[in-house]
Amino acid sequence: QALALFVAMMKLLAGLVFAGVQGTWSLSLRDGDKPASFDCEWRKLAYAYGRKLLPRMGAFESLYYALDLNSDSCHTEMKAEATHSHATPDLPPGWRDAAVFVDVHGDDTQVGSESHPLRSLQVACDRAIAAEIPLVILRAGTHFLTETLTLGPQHSKLLISSYPNERAEVSGGKKLQVTWVPYNLTGANIWVS
């Protein structure tokens, strides 16, 4: 619903600006009132703005398709989700040795070091407390919880932080693996999964 409102507002804005350029300031939004190239550029601008407004959406696939940016008449590439580099910025002295690291591609059978990170935030928190390590560092990406994260009084002095200069998110949602296939691309541009 918010996406539909966003798309409608961008179309309204495009119509108002184009009408102002023509000097009429009418509020007509019929497709024939503006050149296709103008409409296409506004849709591309709306996509870029949406990605900037909600960076957690990554490539923002739903907005990309809602704006019909995969059509032949107005095509732009879907921006891939930003990847992170494992380049090591300067950390405060001693933190590399006094931290348990978690990566979305980690493995809970590893030791939790920077080069061999864990995958589960719960496992990392529990191991950090057991080893009297005060810090859990999350590498960039969305860390999906497979079960409720349980923190008790024993975790009270534990600091959970993202890696410097990286953006880590913890999500209780479920990552969906969907494949979009065309259903009706003649005029309606409908895709299903």
Side-chain angles (χ1 to χ4, degrees):
Q1 191 176 27
L3 179 62
L5 179 61
F6 178 75
V7 171
M9 290 188 68
M10 290 308 292
K11 285 184 176 183
L12 175 64
L13 183 58
L16 287 172
V17 169
F18 186 70
V21 168
Q22 288 182 323
T24 62
W25 292 102
S26 67
L27 225 138
S28 175
L29 295 176
R30 294 185 313 251
D31 287 336
D33 288 349
K34 54 193 173 308
S37 62
F38 182 81
D39 178 66
C40 179
E41 291 306 313
W42 268 101
R43 287 188 278 150
K44 290 177 182 178
L45 182 64
Y47 177 59
Y49 181 70
R51 288 190 70 234
K52 183 177 181 181
L53 190 64
L54 296 171
R56 71 176 182 276
M57 297 300 289
F60 213 156
E61 187 176 11
S62 58
L63 181 60
Y64 176 84
Y65 288 113
L67 291 170
D68 197 19
L69 292 174
N70 61 318
S71 68
D72 291 333
S73 63
C74 183
H75 183 78
T76 188
E77 294 301 316
M78 189 180 320
K79 306 290 189 222
E81 189 169 348
T83 58
H84 70 281
S85 164
H86 281 277
T88 308
D90 290 332
L91 291 171
W95 279 31
R96 282 190 181 88
D97 299 325
V100 175
F101 291 83
V102 182
D103 191 290
V104 295
H105 304 292
D107 182 349
D108 286 342
T109 63
Q110 294 295 326
V111 294
S113 65
E114 188 170 7
S115 59
H116 297 94
L118 299 171
R119 182 180 186 117
S120 164
L121 180 55
Q122 184 71 61
V123 171
C125 290
D126 292 343
R127 284 198 194 168
I129 292 306
E132 297 183 2
I133 297 173
L135 177 64
V136 172
I137 297 180
L138 303 176
R139 296 305 305 241
T142 303
H143 298 260
F144 290 97
L145 300 175
T146 56
E147 55 190 44
T148 303
L149 180 62
T150 305
L151 300 175
Q154 69 275 21
H155 297 97
S156 63
K157 296 198 185 286
L158 183 65
L159 174 65
I160 302 171
S161 177
S162 63
Y163 196 86
N165 302 317
E166 291 186 358
R167 181 181 172 93
E169 293 182 357
V170 176
S171 174
K174 202 150 201 54
K175 186 173 185 176
L176 300 177
Q177 298 294 337
V178 296
T179 303
W180 291 99
V181 293
Y183 174 75
N184 177 1
L185 298 180
T186 55
N189 193 28
I190 299 173
W191 292 67
V192 296
S193 67

